[in-house]
Amino acid sequence: MLVFLNFSRDITETAAASPLCDVVIFYLSPCEGFIKGGANPAPECCVGAKRLIDELKAKEDRIEVCQCIKALLPLLGPFDPNRVPLLGQKCGIKNFFPPITPATDCS
């Protein structure tokens, strides 16, 4: 969680800068352990992921969130890009996000 918070200022100053990126960091910070390979997402992670999806009202919102996640994930260190959609499955969220890597086209 601290990694997400420590990098929040750096990320929001990058190409992923947007008010929505701050929301992504806030909601998904409890998911760091799972994204890095933990067995199951923490309950707080699922609550945050669901709230994030609930706030996405337009396609542009999903694009911004994807760009933010894309910028944030490499800062976590080693991670499996397939953990992002698995997070949706484990938390019961339909249409979460596909695997996100540095090469992902968020459009």
Side-chain angles (χ1 to χ4, degrees), residues 26-107:
F26 178 77
Y27 283 142
L28 296 186
S29 61
C31 302
E32 179 182 353
F34 177 75
I35 291 170
K36 291 181 78 173
N40 288 305
E44 300 84 13
C45 169
C46 289
V47 168
K50 287 176 184 176
R51 287 184 178 162
L52 176 64
I53 292 300
D54 288 345
E55 289 196 18
L56 303 180
K57 304 298 182 202
K59 179 180 178 181
E60 292 77 19
D61 295 338
R62 288 187 66 85
I63 291 170
E64 284 186 47
V65 169
C66 175
Q67 290 170 338
C68 179
I69 293 172
K70 183 177 168 179
L72 181 63
L73 286 175
L75 301 176
L76 294 178
F79 72 95
D80 180 352
N82 293 313
R83 302 293 283 182
V84 174
L86 187 56
L87 176 62
Q89 292 172 0
K90 293 270 188 177
C91 293
I93 304 169
K94 293 183 181 188
N95 300 318
F96 193 61
F97 284 92
I100 297 177
T101 69
T104 299
D105 178 3
C106 289
S107 62

